Amino acid sequence: SEYATLRINGTVTSQVTTQIKLNNLIINSGGILSHSVNTDTSASWIPNALVNLTLTGNLTVNAGGTIDITGKGYSANNGPGAGIATRVGGAYGGLGGAGNGVSAATYGSVLTPTDLGSGGRDGDAGGYPGGGAVILNITGIAMINGTISSNGTSSPCNSCGSGSGGSIYLIANTFTGNGRITSNGGITVSGSSGGGGGGGRIAIYYTTSTFTGTITSSVGSSGTSGSAGTIVIASSD
């Protein structure tokens, strides 16, 4: 049913960009909500999968549960902020680390982020994908005691660019919990000549907030780091 309550104990993967309507969504410990890997390499950069949910009730992400779309954005060398030279990290909300060149420009909306993160440029073993995108419009309570992660993929090789963070866009009446919300750029190995991924974009709007967890959109560390992404946390009252 369009207004069912969905409980996730295993892994559920969205393969669409269309909005899905539910009443309540509960992600228990060990449960993972994700979307499929984006493979579009066209000039228009249209995503083929997002997590896009409208809830007429509440979202509950329990401790040990996660919405995890790390590395589900644009693939290596692809996206509007793809590394523009070998070893350069992907950009999105922040610049990519320029391991062997200059970062692509940032892109997308600070206030309503819905874009995918871009991939890093390849080196001796290929670049790494950016983070995916999650859109959550919640009429009631968003209780985040687990994690929401849209990080770029970290590069384990010495001359590869890491992916940028992706998008997390959450609207709720009450925003609460003690979990973690991250849209960080992928890191690179210590001493690497590859660039870290730029931070992604996070926007959270609420009427009431008692959230005590952590929210980050940091740049992936490397010898040539780029810049952090953007975070907007605001009352919509």
Side-chain angles (χ1 to χ4, degrees):
S1 169
E2 182 179 84
Y3 296 105
T5 293
L6 176 63
R7 293 175 174 83
I8 297 178
N9 298 303
T11 300
V12 174
T13 303
S14 170
Q15 300 184 39
V16 298
T17 59
T18 53
Q19 183 185 83
I20 298 172
K21 294 182 179 180
L22 298 168
N23 186 356
N24 301 303
L25 173 61
I26 302 167
I27 304 177
N28 291 316
S29 180
I32 302 171
L33 174 61
S34 187
H35 65 67
S36 57
V37 174
N38 280 273
T39 58
D40 186 8
T41 60
S42 68
S44 58
W45 310 117
I46 298 172
N48 54 46
L50 306 172
V51 170
N52 186 355
L53 299 178
T54 292
L55 307 182
T56 58
N58 305 319
L59 168 66
T60 303
V61 182
N62 288 314
T66 182
I67 299 174
D68 188 1
I69 49 178
T70 292
K72 299 297 182 72
Y74 294 115
S75 58
N77 308 329
N78 291 311
I84 58 178
T86 303
R87 305 174 187 171
V88 177
Y92 174 30
L95 299 175
N100 188 31
V102 178
S103 173
T106 61
Y107 60 96
S109 173
V110 173
L111 299 179
T112 58
T114 60
D115 288 283
L116 302 172
S118 291
R121 181 61 57 173
D122 65 354
D124 56 16
Y128 290 83
V134 56
I135 305 166
L136 301 167
N137 196 330
I138 302 154
T139 299
I141 300 167
M143 179 177 288
I144 314 299
N145 289 321
T147 62
I148 301 178
S149 299
S150 179
N151 302 326
T153 305
S154 296
S155 165
C157 78
N158 288 323
S159 58
C160 306
S162 297
S164 73
S167 292
I168 299 173
Y169 180 24
L170 187 154
I171 301 169
N173 182 33
T174 300
F175 176 48
T176 188
N178 58 10
R180 292 183 298 113
I181 298 174
T182 64
S183 181
N184 301 328
I187 64 174
T188 53
V189 296
S190 178
S192 169
S193 61
R201 296 193 189 276
I202 298 172
I204 297 172
Y205 300 97
Y206 58 83
T207 302
T208 302
S209 176
T210 59
F211 185 76
T212 58
T214 59
I215 302 173
T216 60
S217 184
S218 61
V219 62
S221 59
S222 74
T224 53
S225 292
S227 58
T230 61
I231 299 174
V232 175
I233 307 171
S235 171
S236 56
D237 191 9

